[in-house]
């Protein structure tokens, strides 16, 4: 006997999407967040299925504006894991922004041994030439976030536009995000993170996608507003 009759579940993707977001808006306490951050929070909740995530979000109020601006001007997105890069939707990127993951760079294994650290942290070391003004999304390794903060503490270090910190796990995840909150404030860096052990590649990618979708939508609306009505014969291509 089937556990669920075929007619008892929703198959229409549009209806699934609509109900999912309606449920999030009904159950999550989004009012405690600044208005610009709410669409990003909704995407994060959708990625993990936990409406109480709102209670654990920590952030700088400028993170949405800063992240959108960086994406809107074509800055790259630096990620710590291939899973994050796979979750970022190319079609949402407002300027076909590059997604850079250095984890599988051939220099990383030797560099990790020399540094006495993880491959994830060693990969971050290779971000130095592309870090300035970039959007950073960490969704896996606490050591990647720790090493990023070590780099940013150096005099004259290149500064990213925004850090989306979602390392996950039982060793170092909580501590790395607590340190992010402290150091980002000291450095004046916009950031978004989730307290505690929760996180993951899906959340990091969802945050990037949300910022990109917001920025691309505004750019497209601005472009449309400059077009003359077709009846006037001056519609732009």
């Amino acid at each position: 006997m089937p556990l669920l009759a075929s007619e008892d579940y929703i198959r229409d993707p549009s209806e699934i999407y609509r109900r999912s977001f309606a449920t999030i808006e009904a159950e999550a306490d989004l009012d405690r967040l600044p208005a610009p951050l709410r669409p990003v929070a909704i995407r994060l909740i959708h990625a993990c299925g936990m409406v109480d995530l709102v209670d654990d979000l920590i952030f700088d109020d400028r993170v949405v504006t800063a992240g959108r601006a960086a994406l809107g001007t074509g800055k790259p997105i630096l990620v710590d894991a291939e899973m994050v890069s796979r979750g970022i939707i190319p079609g949402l990127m407002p300027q076909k922004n590059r997604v850079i993951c250095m984890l599988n760079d051939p220099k990383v294994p030797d560099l990790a041994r020399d540094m006495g650290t993880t491959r994830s942290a060693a990969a971050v070391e290779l971000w130095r030439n592309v870090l300035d003004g970039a959007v950073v999304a960490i969704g896996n390794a606490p050591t990647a976030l720790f090493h990023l903060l070590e780099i940013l503490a150096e005099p004259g270090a290149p500064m990213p536009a925004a850090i989306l910190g979602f390392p996950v796990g039982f060793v170092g995840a909580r501590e790395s995000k607590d340190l992010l909150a402290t150091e980002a404030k000291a450095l004046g860096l916009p950031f978004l993170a989730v307290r505690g052990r929760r996180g993951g590649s899906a959340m990091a990618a969802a945050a990037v996608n949300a910022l990109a979708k917001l920025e691309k939508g505004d750019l497209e609306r601005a472009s449309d507003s400059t077009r003359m009505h077709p009846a006037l014969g001056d519609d732009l291509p």
Side-chain angles (χ1 to χ4, degrees), residues 16 27 30 57 74 90 92 95 103-104 127 179 183 196-197 223:
I16 293 169
E27 295 185 7
L30 298 170
L57 291 180
L92 290 179
Q95 300 293 347
L103 189 62
N104 292 318
W127 288 357
L179 185 62
E183 293 301 305
R197 297 170 171 176
S223 176

Side-chain angles (χ1 to χ4, degrees), residues 88-94 216 220:
I88 293 172
I89 302 171
L92 290 179
M93 298 302 110
K216 186 176 183 181
E220 288 175 346

